[in-house]
Amino acid sequence: MANELTDRQKLLLLELVRHSEGVDPSEAARRLDVSRRTLQRDLRAVAGWLRPFRVRMESQGGRLCLQASPQELGRIEAELGPVTSRTLVVTPRQRAALLALWLLAEPGPLKLAYLGKVLDAAPASLSSDLNDLAPWLRARHMTLVRRQGFGVLVEGSEVARREAMADIVYEQISPYQLARIITREGDLSHPVARWLVQFVPQSVLKGLADTVEAVLGAAEPPVEEADRSEVWLYAVIQWLRAARRGLVRATDLDEGARPGDVALAKELLTSVEKATGLSALATEPEIRYMARHLAGLRVRLEDDFRLLPSNVTALDLAHRFVRAVEDITRLPFASDPLLVSGLAQHLAPVLDRVRAGLPIRNPLLEEVKARYPDLFSAAESAAHEVFAAHGLRLPDEEIGFLAMHLGASRERRWAEEKWRAVIVCPHGLSSARLLASRVRKELPEVSVQEVASAKSAAHMNADLILSTVSLPESGVPVVVVSPFLTEEDLRAIRLALAKMERPARTSLKPGETLTGASKWASRLASLARTATIRAETVGEVIRLVGLDLVRQGRASDAESIVEAIERRERLGSVVLPDRQLAVLHARTDGIDSPFVGVYRLERPIWMRGVAEDEPVSVFLVLLAPVHEDPVVIDGLGRISAALVESEALVEALKSADEEEIRRRLYDAMVRQGE
C-alpha cells in the first residue's frame, strides 16, 4: 500500500505522523524544494492514501495536523514502512548536483539509462538537468559531451574538475554536516553526503580525517579547524580522482608555491599514501596541487606567538583599502585600529588564494549585499583601486567579507557614539517611561539621558529632544512624537538624525602621547641598532641578525633567534609593497628584552611581494620575549602601523642616521599621529 506514495510523499506523511503540533506548509515546501502547487498535489495523494485509516487531516492556525489516536498513528507508521536516510527524498536541485558529481568523478562516459537508474530519475528530467549543467561547466572551462550511443562525458583539466566537485559539495552540505561526516558521527541525511560515502570507502574517509588532523594539527602554528575541514574535503576528492586515474599534470599548475607549503603538502600526501595505500598521490604534480590549497590556510596565532597583527604586506594593503573606503564614504574608518588589524589578518590568506586562483566561498554574500549595499559598493570600488594595481581581482565573495568587516566597524562606532536624547512628556511619568522604552527598543543608536520638563530641556546636555508637545525653538533639534512612537515618528527621528553630524569619538588627538608609554619607548628607541650587512637571501639575513644579537650580548644562542624569525616568516609575506622594505618579527625566549634593529643591505635582494617579486634593501627587525608586557607589545605593533601610514618613517629607515631613526621610532610608539 505504501508503494503508492513517492519518496517525497512518504517523507511528508512521516512528518505529519511524528509532529503532533502540525507542519507548516510553507516550511515543508521550502525544505522539500518544491512549489506550493506541487506540495498540494502531494498532500492530496497522502490524503487519499490515508482513507482506509481512522484519521483526519486538518489545518489549525496555518499548520497541517493529523487527528488520530496514538494507536492509529502507530498503525500508519507501521504500514508506511521504514523511511531511512537512504530513502529520503532527493529534490530536483540535489538530483542535479548528484548528476554533476557522478560525471565529474568518473573517468569515462556514462550512459543516460545508467544515470537514470542510479539517480532514480526519468530520462526527460536528466536531459533537462544536463541542459542546465552545460553552461555551468563552460563557465569553469569544461565541456559537456553528449552523443547518441556514446553517453555523457565531461572534458576539461583535472584541476578544474576537482574544484568544481568541491564547489558542489560546499554548496550542498553545510559546514556542520561536513564536520559530522569527518568526525564519523554518521550524519548521512543529505544525498550528497551519501554519495560521498558511496564513492569513497569509510576506511579511507577515516584515514584521511586522521591524517589531516595529525599533520595540520601538529603544524607550527596549528591550522584553524575550519580550514582543516576544507583540506580534508580536497584530500577526499584528490584520492577519489587519483583512484580512478584522474591525475594532475605538471602543466596544469603554475610555478610559485612557497617551499614551506610544498614541504607540508609532501608530508601530508606521503602520510595519506601510507594510510590508504594509493601511491599515485605522492607525486610532484599532486603535491604541488595540494600546496596550492595549503597556501590559503588560516593559522591560529597563540598569544605567545603574535607580535604584529599580521604579515606586513597584508597590513599595508588593509591600510590602503580602509583609506580608499574612507575617501568614498566620508566615514572615519581609518581611525578604527580593530578594523585595520582585522582586515590584515583576513587578507593574509586571501592574497594567497587569489594568486593561486582558488575559490573563495561566502554563503552570506546575498545577505551582506542586502544589509550593507552602500558598504558593499564602497568595498568593491576600493578593492579595485588598491588591488588592481598589483594585478589582483577580488571576487564578489571576497568583497562581501570585506564589507562585513566594514559593517562591524560602523556598528562598533555607532554603539560608542550614540546620540544623547532628552524626553519631554508633560502627560505624566507613565507616558514618559513608555516613550523611553520604545526609543530604547526601536532606536538603539539613541541613548535616553533623562526625562526633563519643557522649560529645562533646551538647557540639557543632549543632541536631540523627543517631545510629545511642541516646544519653542532652541539650539537642540526637537522632534514631536507620540508616546507610542509610531512608524511615522520613527521616520521623522531618523530623518532628523541623518541631518546631524555623528558625535565625536573619544580618542587621542594628533600628537597626544599614550599614558605610561614614554619611559619604556624612550629606552627601547635609544637601544635601536643600525647596521649594514651583505647577504644574498632572506635566510642569510636572518642568520646574520641572530649572530649580531649574540655579539651584542642580547642573546646567548643565535639558532633560537633564527628559528623564531623563520617560523613567523613562513606564515606570509614580510615585504612592504613598493617600499623596498621588509619586516622580520617574532616573539622568542631566546632574547632577554625587546629589540629593534635596522639592517641595510649592500645590494638589494628579491623577495616575494603582493603579486610578484620585489627588491628589498632594508630589513626592520622587531623581537620581544614571549611573556613581555602587553603594553610593550602594543608599542611594537604601533611601529608596524606607522610603517604603512608614514612615508617619512620608511625613508628614515632607508637612509637617515641612527639618531633620526630613534626619534622616528619613539614617535611611532608613543604618538597616535603626526
Side-chain angles (χ1 to χ4, degrees):
M1 185 174 171
N3 291 335
E4 300 170 11
L5 296 178
T6 66
D7 285 345
R8 186 173 62 235
Q9 291 161 359
K10 290 179 184 178
L11 181 60
L12 182 58
L13 176 54
L14 189 64
E15 288 200 12
L16 289 167
V17 169
R18 292 182 175 177
H19 292 82
S20 59
E21 74 281 7
V23 173
D24 184 338
S26 298
E27 175 62 22
R30 186 198 63 77
R31 191 166 54 252
L32 297 173
D33 196 20
V34 297
S35 66
R36 287 296 296 269
R37 181 178 297 179
T38 299
L39 184 71
Q40 290 300 324
R41 286 201 302 267
D42 286 342
L43 287 170
R44 285 195 294 270
V46 168
W49 188 87
L50 287 172
R51 285 195 189 102
F53 299 90
R54 287 176 291 180
V55 61
R56 294 193 318 275
M57 187 186 301
E58 296 180 352
S59 177
Q60 296 181 357
R63 302 179 72 85
L64 291 172
C65 305
L66 292 183
Q67 297 298 322
S69 66
Q71 294 79 9
E72 196 69 6
L73 291 176
R75 193 163 75 88
I76 292 171
E77 189 166 350
E79 186 68 30
L80 187 61
V83 182
T84 65
S85 61
R86 295 189 177 274
T87 60
L88 290 181
V89 63
V90 176
T91 69
R93 186 163 168 262
Q94 292 168 347
R95 184 190 64 229
L98 291 172
L99 174 62
L101 286 171
W102 270 91
L103 293 171
L104 290 165
E106 292 291 358
L110 296 173
K111 299 289 187 180
L112 203 60
Y114 174 74
L115 289 170
K117 182 178 180 180
V118 297
L119 296 174
D120 191 23
S125 298
L126 290 182
S127 182
S128 175
D129 290 340
L130 290 171
N131 290 337
D132 294 336
L133 180 60
W136 187 86
L137 290 170
R138 279 198 302 273
R140 287 158 178 77
H141 309 291
M142 290 178 284
T143 305
L144 184 69
V145 179
R146 300 166 65 179
R147 287 200 297 269
Q148 189 73 28
F150 171 78
V152 188
L153 175 70
V154 173
E155 292 182 342
S157 77
E158 183 62 29
V159 170
R161 183 183 295 261
R162 295 181 185 183
E163 302 297 343
M165 293 175 70
D167 283 345
I168 293 170
V169 173
Y170 271 112
E171 181 183 311
Q172 293 287 321
I173 301 180
S174 69
Y176 171 72
Q177 288 174 303
L178 193 62
R180 294 198 67 189
I181 297 172
I182 296 172
T183 55
R184 302 176 298 282
E185 293 183 19
D187 183 8
L188 300 177
S189 59
H190 197 288
V192 170
R194 301 199 298 273
W195 174 88
L196 204 59
V197 173
Q198 179 181 352
F199 266 70
V200 183
Q202 283 278 13
S203 60
V204 172
L205 291 174
K206 179 182 183 302
L208 291 173
D210 292 343
T211 301
V212 169
E213 185 66 26
V215 174
L216 298 189
E220 286 292 337
V223 174
E224 290 281 6
E225 184 176 357
D227 281 0
R228 296 205 295 271
S229 299
E230 183 170 318
V231 172
W232 174 82
L233 178 60
Y234 279 114
V236 168
I237 293 172
Q238 192 169 5
W239 183 94
L240 186 157
R241 285 293 299 160
R244 287 160 174 74
R245 306 198 178 193
L247 300 174
V248 172
R249 297 177 300 179
T251 54
D252 292 337
L253 303 167
D254 55 10
E255 301 288 342
R258 292 193 299 247
D261 296 329
V262 173
L264 187 59
K266 184 175 183 179
E267 179 185 357
L268 178 61
L269 292 183
T270 300
S271 300
V272 168
E273 178 186 345
K274 292 178 181 176
T276 65
L278 186 61
S279 59
L281 287 177
T283 62
E284 182 182 353
E286 293 290 342
I287 290 171
R288 285 173 50 205
Y289 170 77
M290 177 56 75
R292 291 174 76 242
H293 294 288
L294 298 181
L297 296 182
R298 295 164 295 176
V299 297
R300 188 172 66 250
L301 293 180
E302 308 294 349
D303 288 340
D304 63 351
F305 187 78
R306 188 190 304 270
L307 180 52
L308 303 189
S310 182
N311 72 57
V312 179
T313 301
L315 188 64
D316 182 80
L317 293 175
H319 175 75
R320 296 187 192 189
F321 172 79
V322 170
R323 286 293 188 191
V325 170
E326 190 171 86
D327 290 341
I328 294 169
T329 63
R330 302 299 178 186
L331 295 174
F333 283 111
S335 62
D336 183 355
L338 287 178
L339 172 62
V340 177
S341 62
L343 280 171
Q345 292 177 50
H346 175 82
L347 284 172
V350 167
L351 295 175
D352 289 314
R353 286 182 177 275
V354 173
R355 277 191 294 253
L358 297 175
I360 295 175
R361 303 176 182 89
N362 186 346
L364 300 175
L365 177 59
E366 295 307 317
E367 186 176 341
V368 170
K369 287 182 177 180
R371 182 165 184 174
Y372 301 128
D374 56 331
L375 296 183
F376 185 89
S377 176
E380 190 174 35
S381 299
H384 177 75
E385 176 185 333
V386 172
F387 298 100
H390 300 283
L392 299 176
R393 179 192 174 278
L394 270 56
D396 279 1
E397 289 78 6
E398 182 53 39
I399 300 297
F401 283 122
L402 299 181
M404 289 167 68
H405 279 276
L406 295 173
S409 174
R410 186 168 67 180
E411 290 178 13
R412 277 197 304 271
R413 189 177 71 254
W414 284 356
E416 296 169 358
E417 304 169 359
K418 291 185 176 183
W419 280 287
R420 296 163 301 172
V422 169
I423 286 178
V424 174
C425 187
H427 302 299
L429 186 59
S430 60
S431 296
R433 286 178 174 173
L434 172 62
L435 178 56
S437 64
R438 291 283 293 149
V439 169
R440 293 187 182 100
K441 179 181 179 182
E442 300 294 340
L443 296 165
E445 65 270 37
V446 175
S447 173
V448 176
Q449 300 296 296
E450 59 182 294
V451 177
S453 67
K455 291 182 179 180
S456 63
H459 306 289
M460 304 294 296
N461 185 20
D463 305 303
L464 182 71
I465 298 174
L466 301 179
S467 175
T468 57
V469 296
S470 297
L471 298 177
E473 289 189 10
S474 66
V476 180
V478 178
V479 181
V480 179
V481 298
S482 158
F484 297 98
L485 203 64
T486 65
E487 286 297 324
E488 185 178 350
D489 294 336
L490 289 171
R491 284 193 294 271
I493 294 172
R494 291 187 176 114
L495 180 61
L497 295 177
K499 295 177 181 179
M500 298 163 53
E501 290 187 4
R502 280 277 178 186
R505 296 188 68 176
T506 302
S507 62
L508 292 173
K509 297 177 182 179
E512 187 176 348
T513 60
L514 297 169
T515 304
S518 299
K519 185 175 181 180
W520 62 259
S522 176
R523 179 175 180 275
L524 184 56
S526 68
L527 295 175
R529 171 175 172 75
T530 61
T532 300
I533 59 176
R534 175 183 296 178
E536 301 294 332
T537 65
V538 181
E540 288 183 28
V541 172
I542 295 173
R543 188 167 62 255
L544 290 173
V545 168
L547 292 173
D548 187 43
L549 286 167
V550 172
R551 281 195 297 270
Q552 294 180 57
R554 301 294 304 276
S556 59
D557 177 20
E559 285 306 312
S560 62
I561 303 297
V562 170
E563 181 182 350
I565 296 177
E566 286 182 339
R567 177 188 179 208
R568 186 62 184 88
E569 191 266 339
R570 283 195 298 268
L571 294 181
S573 174
V574 297
V575 177
L576 204 63
D578 306 321
R579 310 287 215 294
Q580 294 197 24
L581 175 73
V583 181
L584 300 175
H585 58 97
R587 294 176 71 171
T588 170
D589 284 331
I591 192 168
D592 59 352
S593 60
F595 171 78
V596 179
V598 179
Y599 294 85
R600 296 165 178 162
L601 301 183
E602 291 184 355
R603 290 187 303 180
I605 63 175
W606 288 82
M607 294 182 63
R608 186 179 183 185
V610 179
E612 56 187 16
D613 289 350
E614 295 187 25
V616 173
S617 58
V618 180
F619 283 84
L620 173 64
V621 179
L622 304 173
L623 301 173
V626 171
H627 301 293
E628 183 56 74
D629 188 326
V631 178
V632 177
I633 299 300
D634 179 68
L636 292 174
R638 289 179 182 276
I639 294 177
S640 69
L643 287 174
V644 301
E645 295 173 4
S646 171
E647 195 66 38
L649 175 59
V650 174
E651 291 304 314
L653 295 176
K654 289 180 182 178
S655 58
D657 60 30
E658 206 164 67
E659 284 307 310
E660 174 66 10
I661 289 175
R662 288 172 175 173
R663 184 181 71 80
R664 293 277 180 184
L665 290 172
Y666 173 83
D667 286 346
M669 285 185 280
V670 301
R671 297 185 185 277
Q672 186 73 5
E674 294 192 344

